[in-house]
Coordinates of all heavy atoms in Angstrom, one line a residue:
D1 N -26.3 46.6 -33.4 CA -27.5 45.7 -33.4 C -28.7 46.7 -33.4 O -28.9 47.5 -32.6 CB -27.5 44.9 -32.1 CG -28.6 44.0 -32.1 OD1 -29.5 44.0 -33.1 OD2 -28.8 43.2 -31.2
I2 N -29.5 46.6 -34.5 CA -30.6 47.4 -34.7 C -31.9 46.9 -33.9 O -32.8 47.7 -33.7 CB -31.0 47.5 -36.2 CG1 -32.0 48.6 -36.4 CG2 -31.5 46.2 -36.8 CD1 -32.1 49.0 -37.8
F3 N -31.9 45.6 -33.4 CA -32.9 45.1 -32.7 C -32.9 45.6 -31.2 O -32.0 45.0 -30.5 CB -33.0 43.7 -32.9 CG -33.2 43.2 -34.3 CD1 -32.2 42.8 -35.0 CD2 -34.5 43.2 -34.9 CE1 -32.3 42.6 -36.3 CE2 -34.6 42.9 -36.2 CZ -33.5 42.6 -36.9
K4 N -33.6 46.5 -30.8 CA -33.4 47.1 -29.5 C -34.7 47.1 -28.8 O -35.9 47.1 -29.4 CB -33.0 48.5 -29.5 CG -31.7 48.7 -30.1 CD -30.5 48.5 -29.2 CE -29.2 48.8 -29.9 NZ -28.1 48.4 -29.1
T5 N -34.7 47.0 -27.4 CA -35.8 47.3 -26.5 C -35.4 48.7 -25.8 O -34.3 48.8 -25.3 CB -36.0 46.3 -25.6 OG1 -36.2 45.0 -26.3 CG2 -37.1 46.5 -24.6
F6 N -36.4 49.6 -25.9 CA -36.0 51.0 -25.4 C -37.1 51.7 -24.8 O -38.2 51.4 -24.9 CB -35.3 51.8 -26.6 CG -36.3 52.3 -27.6 CD1 -36.9 53.5 -27.5 CD2 -36.8 51.4 -28.6 CE1 -37.8 54.0 -28.4 CE2 -37.7 51.8 -29.5 CZ -38.2 53.1 -29.5
K7 N -36.7 52.8 -24.1 CA -37.7 53.8 -23.6 C -37.2 55.2 -24.0 O -36.0 55.4 -24.1 CB -37.9 53.8 -22.1 CG -38.7 52.4 -21.7 CD -39.1 52.6 -20.2 CE -40.0 51.4 -19.9 NZ -40.6 51.5 -18.6
A8 N -38.1 56.2 -24.2 CA -37.8 57.5 -24.5 C -38.5 58.5 -23.5 O -39.7 58.2 -23.4 CB -38.0 57.9 -25.9
V9 N -37.8 59.5 -23.1 CA -38.5 60.5 -22.2 C -38.2 61.9 -22.8 O -37.2 62.1 -23.5 CB -38.1 60.4 -20.7 CG1 -38.6 59.0 -20.1 CG2 -36.7 60.5 -20.5
H10 N -39.1 62.8 -22.4 CA -38.9 64.2 -22.8 C -38.6 65.0 -21.5 O -39.6 65.1 -20.7 CB -40.1 64.7 -23.6 CG -40.4 63.8 -24.8 ND1 -39.8 64.1 -26.0 CD2 -41.2 62.8 -24.9 CE1 -40.3 63.1 -26.8 NE2 -41.0 62.4 -26.3
V11 N -37.4 65.5 -21.4 CA -37.1 66.2 -20.2 C -36.6 67.6 -20.5 O -36.2 68.0 -21.6 CB -36.0 65.5 -19.4 CG1 -36.4 64.1 -18.9 CG2 -34.6 65.3 -20.3
E12 N -36.6 68.4 -19.5 CA -36.1 69.7 -19.6 C -34.6 69.6 -19.9 O -33.9 68.9 -19.3 CB -36.3 70.5 -18.3 CG -35.8 72.0 -18.4 CD -36.1 72.7 -17.1 OE1 -36.8 72.4 -16.3 OE2 -35.3 73.8 -17.0
R13 N -34.1 70.4 -20.9 CA -32.7 70.4 -21.3 C -31.8 70.9 -20.2 O -32.0 72.1 -19.8 CB -32.4 71.2 -22.6 CG -31.0 71.1 -23.0 CD -30.8 71.9 -24.3 NE -31.1 73.4 -24.0 CZ -30.3 74.2 -23.4 NH1 -29.0 73.9 -23.0 NH2 -30.6 75.5 -23.2
P14 N -30.9 70.1 -19.7 CA -29.9 70.5 -18.7 C -29.0 71.7 -19.2 O -28.7 71.6 -20.5 CB -29.1 69.4 -18.3 CG -29.9 68.2 -18.8 CD -30.6 68.7 -19.9
P15 N -28.6 72.6 -18.4 CA -27.8 73.8 -18.9 C -26.5 73.3 -19.5 O -25.9 73.9 -20.4 CB -27.5 74.6 -17.6 CG -28.6 74.3 -16.7 CD -29.0 72.9 -17.0
S16 N -26.0 72.1 -19.1 CA -24.7 71.7 -19.6 C -24.8 71.0 -21.0 O -23.8 70.6 -21.6 CB -24.1 70.6 -18.6 OG -24.9 69.5 -18.5
V17 N -26.0 70.9 -21.5 CA -26.2 70.1 -22.7 C -26.5 71.2 -23.9 O -27.4 72.1 -23.7 CB -27.4 69.2 -22.7 CG1 -27.8 68.5 -24.0 CG2 -27.1 68.1 -21.6
T18 N -25.7 71.2 -24.9 CA -25.8 72.1 -26.0 C -27.2 71.9 -26.7 O -27.6 70.8 -26.9 CB -24.7 71.8 -27.0 OG1 -23.4 71.8 -26.4 CG2 -24.8 72.8 -28.2
E19 N -27.8 73.0 -26.9 CA -29.2 73.0 -27.4 C -29.4 72.6 -28.9 O -30.4 72.3 -29.4 CB -30.0 74.3 -27.1 CG -29.4 75.5 -27.7 CD -30.0 76.8 -27.3 OE1 -31.2 76.9 -27.5 OE2 -29.4 77.6 -26.6
A20 N -28.2 72.8 -29.7 CA -28.4 72.6 -31.1 C -27.6 71.4 -31.6 O -27.3 71.3 -32.8 CB -27.8 73.9 -31.7
S21 N -27.3 70.4 -30.7 CA -26.6 69.3 -31.1 C -27.3 68.0 -30.6 O -27.9 68.0 -29.6 CB -25.2 69.3 -30.5 OG -24.5 70.4 -31.0
L22 N -27.1 66.8 -31.3 CA -27.5 65.7 -30.8 C -26.3 65.1 -30.0 O -25.2 65.4 -30.2 CB -27.9 64.6 -31.9 CG -26.9 64.0 -32.8 CD1 -26.3 62.7 -32.2 CD2 -27.4 63.7 -34.2
H23 N -26.7 64.2 -29.0 CA -25.6 63.6 -28.2 C -25.7 62.1 -28.0 O -26.8 61.7 -27.7 CB -25.8 64.2 -26.7 CG -25.7 65.7 -26.7 ND1 -24.6 66.4 -26.6 CD2 -26.7 66.7 -26.9 CE1 -24.8 67.8 -26.7 NE2 -26.1 67.9 -26.8
L24 N -24.7 61.4 -28.5 CA -24.7 60.0 -28.4 C -24.2 59.7 -27.0 O -23.3 60.2 -26.4 CB -23.7 59.4 -29.4 CG -24.1 59.7 -30.9 CD1 -23.0 59.1 -31.8 CD2 -25.4 59.1 -31.2
L25 N -24.9 58.7 -26.4 CA -24.7 58.3 -25.0 C -24.3 56.8 -24.9 O -25.1 56.0 -24.5 CB -25.9 58.6 -24.1 CG -26.5 60.1 -24.3 CD1 -27.9 60.2 -23.6 CD2 -25.5 61.0 -23.8
P26 N -23.1 56.5 -25.3 CA -22.8 55.0 -25.1 C -22.6 54.6 -23.7 O -22.1 55.4 -22.9 CB -21.3 55.0 -25.9 CG -20.8 56.4 -25.8 CD -22.0 57.3 -25.8
D27 N -23.1 53.4 -23.4 CA -23.1 52.9 -22.0 C -23.7 53.9 -21.0 O -23.2 54.0 -19.9 CB -21.7 52.5 -21.6 CG -21.2 51.4 -22.6 OD1 -21.9 50.5 -23.0 OD2 -20.0 51.6 -23.0
C28 N -24.8 54.5 -21.4 CA -25.4 55.5 -20.4 C -26.0 54.7 -19.2 O -26.1 55.4 -18.2 CB -26.6 56.3 -21.2 SG -27.8 55.3 -21.9
F29 N -26.3 53.5 -19.4 CA -26.7 52.6 -18.3 C -26.0 51.3 -18.7 O -25.7 51.0 -19.8 CB -28.2 52.4 -18.2 CG -29.0 53.6 -17.8 CD1 -29.9 54.1 -18.6 CD2 -28.8 54.2 -16.6 CE1 -30.7 55.2 -18.3 CE2 -29.5 55.3 -16.2 CZ -30.4 55.9 -17.1
P30 N -25.8 50.4 -17.7 CA -25.1 49.1 -18.1 C -25.8 48.4 -19.2 O -27.1 48.2 -19.2 CB -25.2 48.3 -16.8 CG -25.2 49.4 -15.7 CD -26.1 50.5 -16.2
L31 N -25.1 48.0 -20.3 CA -25.6 47.3 -21.4 C -26.5 48.1 -22.3 O -27.0 47.7 -23.3 CB -26.3 46.1 -21.1 CG -25.5 45.0 -20.2 CD1 -26.4 43.9 -19.8 CD2 -24.3 44.5 -20.9
M32 N -26.7 49.4 -22.0 CA -27.6 50.3 -22.8 C -26.9 51.4 -23.5 O -25.9 52.0 -23.0 CB -28.7 50.8 -21.9 CG -29.5 49.8 -21.2 SD -30.9 50.5 -20.1 CE -32.1 50.9 -21.4
Q33 N -27.4 51.7 -24.7 CA -26.9 52.8 -25.5 C -28.0 53.9 -25.5 O -29.1 53.6 -25.4 CB -26.5 52.4 -26.9 CG -25.6 51.1 -27.0 CD -24.4 51.4 -26.2 OE1 -23.7 52.3 -26.3 NE2 -24.1 50.4 -25.5
G34 N -27.5 55.2 -25.6 CA -28.6 56.2 -25.6 C -28.3 57.2 -26.7 O -27.2 57.4 -27.2
I35 N -29.3 58.2 -26.8 CA -29.1 59.4 -27.6 C -30.0 60.4 -27.0 O -31.1 60.1 -26.5 CB -29.6 59.0 -29.1 CG1 -29.2 60.2 -30.0 CG2 -31.0 58.7 -29.2 CD1 -29.4 59.9 -31.4
A36 N -29.5 61.6 -27.1 CA -30.3 62.8 -26.6 C -30.5 63.8 -27.8 O -29.5 64.1 -28.3 CB -29.6 63.5 -25.5
L37 N -31.7 64.0 -28.1 CA -32.0 64.9 -29.3 C -32.7 66.2 -28.8 O -33.6 66.1 -28.0 CB -32.9 64.2 -30.2 CG -32.4 62.8 -30.8 CD1 -33.5 62.1 -31.5 CD2 -31.2 63.1 -31.7
P38 N -32.2 67.4 -29.2 CA -32.9 68.6 -28.8 C -34.3 68.7 -29.4 O -34.6 68.2 -30.5 CB -31.9 69.7 -29.4 CG -31.2 69.0 -30.5 CD -31.2 67.6 -30.2
E39 N -35.2 69.3 -28.6 CA -36.5 69.6 -29.1 C -36.8 71.1 -28.8 O -36.0 71.8 -28.1 CB -37.5 68.8 -28.2 CG -37.4 67.2 -28.4 CD -38.5 66.5 -27.7 OE1 -38.8 66.9 -26.6 OE2 -38.9 65.4 -28.1
T40 N -37.9 71.5 -29.3 CA -38.3 72.9 -29.1 C -38.7 73.0 -27.7 O -39.0 72.1 -26.9 CB -39.4 73.4 -30.1 OG1 -40.5 72.5 -29.8 CG2 -39.0 73.2 -31.6
G41 N -38.7 74.3 -27.2 CA -39.1 74.6 -25.9 C -38.2 74.2 -24.8 O -38.6 73.9 -23.7
N42 N -37.0 74.2 -25.1 CA -35.8 73.9 -24.2 C -36.0 72.4 -23.6 O -35.7 72.1 -22.5 CB -35.8 74.9 -23.0 CG -34.5 74.8 -22.3 OD1 -33.4 74.8 -22.9 ND2 -34.5 75.0 -21.0
M43 N -36.5 71.5 -24.5 CA -36.7 70.1 -24.1 C -35.6 69.3 -24.8 O -35.0 69.7 -25.8 CB -38.1 69.6 -24.4 CG -39.2 70.5 -23.7 SD -39.1 70.3 -21.9 CE -39.8 68.6 -21.7
L44 N -35.5 68.1 -24.3 CA -34.6 67.1 -24.8 C -35.2 65.6 -24.8 O -35.9 65.3 -23.9 CB -33.4 67.0 -23.8 CG -32.1 66.3 -24.2 CD1 -31.5 67.1 -25.4 CD2 -31.1 66.3 -23.0
N45 N -35.2 65.1 -26.0 CA -35.7 63.7 -26.1 C -34.5 62.8 -25.7 O -33.5 62.7 -26.4 CB -36.2 63.4 -27.5 CG -36.7 62.0 -27.7 OD1 -36.2 61.1 -27.2 ND2 -37.7 61.9 -28.5
L46 N -34.7 62.0 -24.7 CA -33.6 61.2 -24.2 C -34.2 59.7 -24.3 O -35.1 59.3 -23.7 CB -33.3 61.5 -22.7 CG -32.3 60.8 -22.0 CD1 -30.9 60.9 -22.7 CD2 -32.2 61.4 -20.6
S47 N -33.5 58.9 -25.2 CA -33.8 57.5 -25.4 C -32.6 56.7 -25.0 O -31.5 57.0 -25.2 CB -34.2 57.3 -26.8 OG -35.2 58.2 -27.3
A48 N -32.9 55.5 -24.4 CA -31.9 54.5 -24.1 C -32.5 53.2 -24.4 O -33.7 52.8 -24.1 CB -31.6 54.6 -22.5
G49 N -31.6 52.3 -25.0 CA -32.1 51.0 -25.4 C -31.0 49.9 -25.2 O -29.8 50.2 -25.0
V50 N -31.5 48.7 -25.3 CA -30.6 47.5 -25.0 C -30.9 46.5 -26.1 O -32.1 46.4 -26.5 CB -30.8 46.9 -23.6 CG1 -32.2 46.5 -23.4 CG2 -29.8 45.8 -23.3
P51 N -29.9 45.8 -26.6 CA -30.3 44.6 -27.5 C -31.2 43.7 -26.8 O -31.1 43.4 -25.6 CB -28.9 44.0 -27.8 CG -27.9 45.0 -27.6 CD -28.5 45.9 -26.4
R52 N -32.1 43.2 -27.5 CA -33.2 42.3 -27.0 C -32.6 41.1 -26.3 O -33.2 40.7 -25.2 CB -34.2 41.8 -28.0 CG -35.0 42.9 -28.6 CD -36.0 42.4 -29.7 NE -36.7 43.5 -30.4 CZ -37.4 43.3 -31.4 NH1 -37.7 42.0 -31.9 NH2 -37.9 44.4 -32.0
N53 N -31.5 40.6 -26.7 CA -30.9 39.4 -26.1 C -30.3 39.6 -24.7 O -30.0 38.8 -24.0 CB -30.1 38.7 -27.0 CG -28.8 39.5 -27.4 OD1 -28.9 40.7 -27.7 ND2 -27.7 39.0 -27.3
L54 N -30.2 41.0 -24.5 CA -29.5 41.4 -23.2 C -30.5 42.0 -22.2 O -30.1 42.4 -21.0 CB -28.3 42.3 -23.4 CG -27.2 41.9 -24.3 CD1 -26.2 43.0 -24.5 CD2 -26.5 40.6 -23.6
F55 N -31.8 42.2 -22.6 CA -32.7 42.8 -21.8 C -32.8 42.2 -20.4 O -32.9 43.0 -19.4 CB -34.1 42.8 -22.5 CG -35.2 43.5 -21.7 CD1 -35.2 44.9 -21.7 CD2 -36.1 42.8 -20.9 CE1 -36.2 45.6 -21.0 CE2 -37.1 43.5 -20.2 CZ -37.2 44.9 -20.2
D56 N -32.8 41.0 -20.2 CA -32.9 40.4 -18.9 C -31.7 40.7 -18.0 O -31.8 40.5 -16.8 CB -33.0 38.8 -19.0 CG -34.3 38.4 -19.6 OD1 -35.3 39.2 -19.6 OD2 -34.4 37.3 -20.1
R57 N -30.7 41.2 -18.5 CA -29.4 41.5 -17.8 C -29.3 43.0 -17.3 O -28.4 43.3 -16.6 CB -28.2 41.1 -18.6 CG -28.1 39.5 -18.7 CD -27.0 39.1 -19.6 NE -25.7 39.7 -19.3 CZ -24.8 39.7 -20.2 NH1 -24.7 39.0 -21.3 NH2 -23.6 40.3 -19.8
I58 N -30.2 43.8 -17.8 CA -30.1 45.2 -17.3 C -30.5 45.3 -15.9 O -31.1 44.5 -15.3 CB -30.9 46.2 -18.2 CG1 -32.5 46.0 -18.2 CG2 -30.5 46.1 -19.8 CD1 -33.2 47.0 -18.8
P59 N -30.1 46.5 -15.2 CA -30.4 46.6 -13.9 C -31.9 46.6 -13.6 O -32.7 47.2 -14.3 CB -29.8 48.1 -13.5 CG -28.8 48.2 -14.5 CD -29.2 47.5 -15.7
Q60 N -32.3 45.8 -12.5 CA -33.7 45.7 -12.2 C -34.4 47.0 -11.9 O -35.5 47.2 -12.0 CB -33.8 44.8 -10.9 CG -33.5 43.3 -11.3 CD -34.4 42.8 -12.4 OE1 -35.6 42.8 -12.3 NE2 -33.7 42.1 -13.5
E61 N -33.5 48.0 -11.4 CA -34.2 49.3 -11.0 C -34.8 50.0 -12.3 O -35.7 50.7 -12.2 CB -33.1 50.2 -10.5 CG -32.6 49.7 -9.1 CD -31.3 48.9 -9.2 OE1 -31.1 48.2 -10.3 OE2 -30.7 48.8 -8.2
L62 N -34.2 49.7 -13.5 CA -34.7 50.2 -14.7 C -36.0 49.6 -15.2 O -36.7 50.1 -16.0 CB -33.7 50.2 -15.8 CG -32.5 51.1 -15.6 CD1 -31.4 50.9 -16.7 CD2 -32.9 52.6 -15.6
K63 N -36.3 48.4 -14.6 CA -37.5 47.7 -14.8 C -38.6 47.9 -13.8 O -39.7 47.4 -14.0 CB -37.2 46.2 -15.0 CG -36.3 45.8 -16.1 CD -36.1 44.3 -16.1 CE -34.9 43.9 -17.0 NZ -34.6 42.5 -16.9
S64 N -38.3 48.7 -12.8 CA -39.2 48.9 -11.7 C -40.4 49.7 -12.1 O -40.3 50.5 -13.0 CB -38.5 49.7 -10.5 OG -39.3 49.9 -9.5
D65 N -41.5 49.4 -11.5 CA -42.7 50.2 -11.6 C -42.8 51.4 -10.6 O -43.8 52.1 -10.6 CB -44.0 49.3 -11.4 CG -44.1 48.3 -12.6 OD1 -43.7 48.6 -13.8 OD2 -44.6 47.2 -12.4
D66 N -41.8 51.5 -9.8 CA -41.8 52.6 -8.8 C -41.0 53.7 -9.3 O -39.7 53.5 -9.4 CB -41.3 51.9 -7.5 CG -41.3 52.9 -6.3 OD1 -41.5 54.2 -6.5 OD2 -41.1 52.4 -5.2
P67 N -41.6 54.9 -9.4 CA -40.7 56.0 -9.9 C -39.7 56.4 -8.9 O -38.5 56.8 -9.4 CB -41.8 57.1 -10.1 CG -43.1 56.5 -10.2 CD -43.0 55.3 -9.4
K68 N -39.8 56.2 -7.7 CA -38.8 56.6 -6.7 C -37.5 55.7 -6.8 O -36.4 56.2 -6.7 CB -39.3 56.4 -5.2 CG -40.3 57.5 -4.9 CD -40.7 57.4 -3.5 CE -41.8 58.5 -3.3 NZ -42.2 58.7 -1.9
V69 N -37.8 54.4 -7.1 CA -36.6 53.5 -7.4 C -35.9 53.9 -8.7 O -34.6 53.9 -8.6 CB -37.2 52.0 -7.5 CG1 -36.1 51.1 -8.0 CG2 -37.7 51.6 -6.2
V70 N -36.7 54.2 -9.7 CA -36.0 54.6 -11.0 C -35.2 55.9 -10.8 O -34.1 56.0 -11.2 CB -37.0 54.7 -12.1 CG1 -36.4 55.3 -13.3 CG2 -37.6 53.4 -12.4
A71 N -35.8 56.9 -10.1 CA -35.2 58.1 -9.9 C -33.9 58.0 -9.1 O -32.8 58.6 -9.5 CB -36.1 59.1 -9.2
E72 N -33.9 57.3 -8.1 CA -32.7 57.1 -7.3 C -31.6 56.4 -8.1 O -30.4 56.8 -8.0 CB -33.0 56.3 -6.0 CG -33.7 57.1 -4.9 CD -32.9 58.4 -4.6 OE1 -31.7 58.3 -4.3 OE2 -33.5 59.5 -4.5
Y73 N -32.0 55.4 -8.9 CA -31.1 54.7 -9.7 C -30.4 55.6 -10.7 O -29.1 55.7 -10.8 CB -31.7 53.5 -10.3 CG -30.6 52.7 -11.2 CD1 -29.6 52.0 -10.5 CD2 -30.5 52.9 -12.5 CE1 -28.7 51.3 -11.4 CE2 -29.6 52.3 -13.3 CZ -28.6 51.5 -12.7 OH -27.7 50.9 -13.5
V74 N -31.3 56.5 -11.4 CA -30.8 57.3 -12.5 C -29.8 58.3 -11.9 O -28.7 58.7 -12.4 CB -31.9 57.9 -13.2 CG1 -31.4 58.9 -14.2 CG2 -32.7 56.7 -14.0
K75 N -30.1 58.8 -10.7 CA -29.3 59.8 -10.1 C -27.9 59.4 -9.9 O -26.8 60.1 -10.1 CB -29.8 60.2 -8.7 CG -30.9 61.1 -8.7 CD -31.4 61.5 -7.3 CE -32.6 62.2 -7.3 NZ -33.2 62.5 -5.9
K76 N -27.7 58.1 -9.5 CA -26.3 57.5 -9.3 C -25.7 56.9 -10.5 O -24.5 56.9 -10.7 CB -26.3 56.5 -8.2 CG -27.1 55.3 -8.4 CD -26.9 54.3 -7.2 CE -27.6 53.0 -7.6 NZ -27.5 52.0 -6.6
A77 N -26.6 56.4 -11.5 CA -25.9 55.6 -12.6 C -25.9 56.4 -14.0 O -25.1 55.9 -14.7 CB -26.8 54.4 -12.8
F78 N -26.7 57.4 -14.1 CA -26.6 58.2 -15.4 C -25.6 59.2 -15.3 O -25.7 60.2 -14.6 CB -27.9 58.8 -15.7 CG -28.1 59.4 -17.1 CD1 -28.2 58.7 -18.2 CD2 -28.0 60.8 -17.1 CE1 -28.2 59.3 -19.4 CE2 -28.1 61.4 -18.4 CZ -28.2 60.7 -19.5
L79 N -24.4 59.0 -16.0 CA -23.3 59.9 -15.8 C -23.0 60.9 -16.9 O -22.2 61.8 -16.7 CB -22.1 59.1 -15.6 CG -22.1 58.1 -14.5 CD1 -20.8 57.2 -14.3 CD2 -22.4 58.8 -13.1
P80 N -23.7 60.8 -18.1 CA -23.4 61.7 -19.2 C -23.5 63.1 -18.8 O -22.7 64.0 -19.2 CB -24.3 61.3 -20.4 CG -24.5 59.8 -20.1 CD -24.6 59.8 -18.6
F81 N -24.5 63.5 -18.1 CA -24.8 64.8 -17.7 C -25.9 64.7 -16.5 O -26.6 63.8 -16.4 CB -25.3 65.8 -18.8 CG -26.4 65.2 -19.7 CD1 -27.7 65.2 -19.3 CD2 -26.0 64.7 -20.9 CE1 -28.6 64.7 -20.1 CE2 -26.9 64.2 -21.7 CZ -28.3 64.2 -21.3
E82 N -25.9 65.8 -15.7 CA -26.9 65.9 -14.6 C -28.3 66.3 -15.3 O -28.4 67.3 -16.0 CB -26.4 66.9 -13.5 CG -27.0 66.6 -12.2 CD -26.3 67.5 -11.2 OE1 -25.0 67.5 -11.1 OE2 -26.9 68.4 -10.6
L83 N -29.4 65.6 -14.8 CA -30.6 65.9 -15.2 C -31.2 67.1 -14.3 O -30.9 67.3 -13.2 CB -31.6 64.8 -15.2 CG -31.3 63.6 -16.0 CD1 -32.2 62.4 -15.8 CD2 -31.1 64.0 -17.5
V84 N -32.2 67.9 -14.8 CA -32.8 68.9 -14.1 C -33.8 68.3 -13.2 O -33.8 68.8 -12.0 CB -33.6 69.9 -15.1 CG1 -34.3 70.9 -14.3 CG2 -32.6 70.5 -16.0
D85 N -34.5 67.3 -13.5 CA -35.6 66.8 -12.6 C -35.6 65.2 -12.8 O -36.2 64.7 -13.7 CB -36.9 67.3 -13.0 CG -38.1 67.0 -12.1 OD1 -37.9 66.0 -11.3 OD2 -39.1 67.6 -12.1
Y86 N -35.0 64.5 -11.8 CA -35.0 63.1 -11.9 C -36.3 62.4 -11.7 O -36.6 61.4 -12.2 CB -33.9 62.6 -10.9 CG -32.5 62.9 -11.2 CD1 -31.9 64.0 -10.9 CD2 -31.8 61.9 -12.1 CE1 -30.6 64.3 -11.2 CE2 -30.5 62.2 -12.5 CZ -29.9 63.4 -12.1 OH -28.6 63.7 -12.5
D87 N -37.1 63.0 -10.9 CA -38.5 62.5 -10.6 C -39.3 62.6 -11.8 O -40.1 61.6 -12.1 CB -39.2 63.3 -9.4 CG -38.5 63.1 -8.1 OD1 -38.0 62.0 -7.9 OD2 -38.4 64.1 -7.4
D88 N -39.2 63.7 -12.6 CA -40.0 63.7 -13.9 C -39.5 62.7 -14.9 O -40.3 62.0 -15.4 CB -39.8 65.1 -14.5 CG -40.5 65.3 -15.8 OD1 -41.7 64.9 -15.9 OD2 -39.9 65.8 -16.8
F89 N -38.2 62.5 -14.9 CA -37.7 61.4 -15.8 C -38.3 60.1 -15.4 O -38.8 59.3 -16.2 CB -36.1 61.3 -15.7 CG -35.5 60.2 -16.5 CD1 -34.9 60.5 -17.6 CD2 -35.5 58.9 -15.9 CE1 -34.2 59.4 -18.4 CE2 -34.9 57.8 -16.6 CZ -34.2 58.1 -17.8
A90 N -38.2 59.8 -14.1 CA -38.7 58.5 -13.6 C -40.2 58.3 -13.8 O -40.6 57.2 -14.1 CB -38.4 58.4 -12.1
R91 N -41.0 59.3 -13.6 CA -42.4 59.2 -13.8 C -42.7 58.8 -15.3 O -43.6 57.9 -15.6 CB -43.2 60.5 -13.5 CG -43.4 60.7 -12.0 CD -44.3 61.8 -11.8 NE -43.8 63.1 -12.2 CZ -43.0 63.9 -11.4 NH1 -42.7 63.6 -10.3 NH2 -42.5 65.0 -12.0
Q92 N -42.1 59.5 -16.2 CA -42.2 59.2 -17.7 C -41.7 57.8 -17.9 O -42.3 57.0 -18.7 CB -41.5 60.2 -18.6 CG -42.1 61.6 -18.4 CD -41.3 62.6 -19.4 OE1 -41.3 62.3 -20.6 NE2 -40.8 63.6 -18.9
W93 N -40.6 57.4 -17.4 CA -40.0 56.1 -17.7 C -40.9 55.0 -17.3 O -41.2 54.0 -18.0 CB -38.7 56.0 -16.9 CG -37.8 54.8 -17.2 CD1 -37.9 53.6 -16.6 CD2 -36.9 54.7 -18.2 NE1 -37.0 52.8 -17.1 CE2 -36.3 53.3 -18.1 CE3 -36.3 55.5 -19.2 CZ2 -35.4 52.9 -19.0 CZ3 -35.3 55.0 -20.0 CH2 -34.8 53.7 -19.9
V94 N -41.4 55.1 -16.0 CA -42.3 54.0 -15.4 C -43.7 54.1 -16.2 O -44.3 53.1 -16.3 CB -42.5 54.3 -14.0 CG1 -43.6 53.5 -13.3 CG2 -41.2 54.0 -13.2
G95 N -44.2 55.3 -16.6 CA -45.4 55.4 -17.2 C -45.6 54.9 -18.7 O -46.6 55.0 -19.3
Q96 N -44.6 54.2 -19.2 CA -44.7 53.7 -20.5 C -44.1 52.3 -20.7 O -43.4 51.9 -19.8 CB -43.9 54.7 -21.6 CG -42.3 54.6 -21.3 CD -41.7 55.5 -22.3 OE1 -41.4 55.1 -23.3 NE2 -41.3 56.6 -21.8
R97 N -44.6 51.7 -21.6 CA -44.1 50.3 -21.9 C -42.8 50.3 -22.5 O -42.3 51.4 -23.1 CB -45.1 49.5 -22.8 CG -45.3 50.0 -24.1 CD -46.2 49.2 -24.9 NE -46.4 49.7 -26.3 CZ -45.6 49.5 -27.3 NH1 -44.5 48.8 -27.2 NH2 -45.8 50.0 -28.5
W98 N -42.1 49.2 -22.6 CA -40.8 49.1 -23.3 C -41.2 49.0 -24.8 O -42.0 48.2 -25.2 CB -40.0 47.9 -22.9 CG -39.4 48.1 -21.6 CD1 -40.0 47.7 -20.4 CD2 -38.2 48.7 -21.3 NE1 -39.1 48.1 -19.3 CE2 -37.9 48.6 -19.9 CE3 -37.2 49.1 -22.1 CZ2 -36.8 49.1 -19.3 CZ3 -35.9 49.6 -21.5 CH2 -35.8 49.6 -20.1
N99 N -40.5 49.8 -25.6 CA -40.8 49.8 -27.0 C -39.7 49.0 -27.7 O -38.7 48.7 -27.1 CB -40.7 51.3 -27.5 CG -41.7 52.1 -27.0 OD1 -42.9 51.9 -27.3 ND2 -41.4 53.1 -26.1
R100 N -40.0 48.7 -29.0 CA -38.9 47.9 -29.8 C -38.8 48.4 -31.2 O -39.7 48.9 -31.7 CB -39.5 46.4 -29.9 CG -39.5 45.6 -28.7 CD -40.0 44.2 -29.0 NE -40.0 43.4 -27.7 CZ -40.3 42.2 -27.7 NH1 -40.8 41.6 -28.7 NH2 -40.2 41.6 -26.4
T101 N -37.5 48.3 -31.6 CA -37.3 48.7 -33.0 C -36.8 47.4 -33.7 O -36.4 46.4 -33.1 CB -36.2 49.7 -33.1 OG1 -34.9 49.1 -32.5 CG2 -36.4 51.0 -32.4
G102 N -36.9 47.3 -35.0 CA -36.5 46.2 -35.7 C -36.4 46.6 -37.2 O -37.0 47.5 -37.7
Q103 N -35.6 45.7 -37.9 CA -35.4 45.9 -39.3 C -36.3 45.0 -40.1 O -36.4 43.8 -39.8 CB -34.0 45.7 -39.7 CG -33.6 45.9 -41.1 CD -32.1 45.7 -41.3 OE1 -31.4 45.2 -40.4 NE2 -31.6 46.2 -42.4
V104 N -37.0 45.5 -41.2 CA -37.9 44.6 -42.0 C -37.4 44.6 -43.4 O -36.7 45.5 -43.8 CB -39.4 45.1 -41.9 CG1 -39.9 44.9 -40.5 CG2 -39.5 46.6 -42.3

């Protein structure tokens, strides 16, 4: 489904993540698909999205405006790899609106 609601953050690349490859992250959170793209400066663009019709069913912690709630949830629920700084991830996640993609 190309119609997604998503967020993207730029985080320090964890040592366990290959710096020259993209990483598909199926089910990185419940009902959500993700992708991790390498960037310059040892950074990683980490995006996660959900089909619009399922948005109301994603965990409430991911919709929270409190970075501490998001960080704690991501620590326990994001399993593809360990992040370097969960608080940084959460500040960026909370600091942006939900974006949308669509086909025209």
